[in-house]
């Protein structure tokens, strides 16, 4: 299946926030499961999931990854 489009990425001190947007999310019950499946396929584990009428923001810890602190 196609992965949902990433609208933006932000990171800071060991955590990244990924925003996925969809104009049809309100009528597409498969959008959130598709986002979580795409993260799972990449080995990502969400620490926090926030959903709105037009998108989903997922916070993912960068545990064990090289990053600036």
């Amino acid at each position: 299946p196609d992965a949902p489009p990433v609208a933006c990425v932000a990171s800071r001190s060991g955590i990244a926030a990924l925003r996925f947007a969809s104009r049809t999310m309100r009528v597409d019950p498969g959008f959130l499961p598709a986002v979580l499946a795409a993260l799972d396929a990449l080995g990502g584990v969400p620490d926090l999931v926030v959903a709105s009428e037009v998108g989903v923001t997922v916070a993912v810890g960068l545990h064990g990854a090289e990053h600036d602190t």
Side-chain angles (χ1 to χ4, degrees):
D2 294 326
V6 175
C8 73
V9 176
S11 66
R12 183 176 189 170
S13 297
I15 193 162
L18 307 159
R19 175 137 177 87
F20 301 88
S22 171
R23 292 182 181 189
T24 61
M25 186 177 150
R26 290 180 64 183
V27 294
D28 183 5
F31 183 75
L32 179 58
V35 168
L36 297 176
L39 282 174
D40 187 50
L42 296 172
V45 178
D47 291 329
L48 176 69
V49 176
V50 179
S52 70
E53 292 180 355
V54 295
V56 174
T57 301
V58 181
V60 180
L62 301 174
H63 310 289
E66 292 183 25
H67 59 278
D68 295 333
T69 56

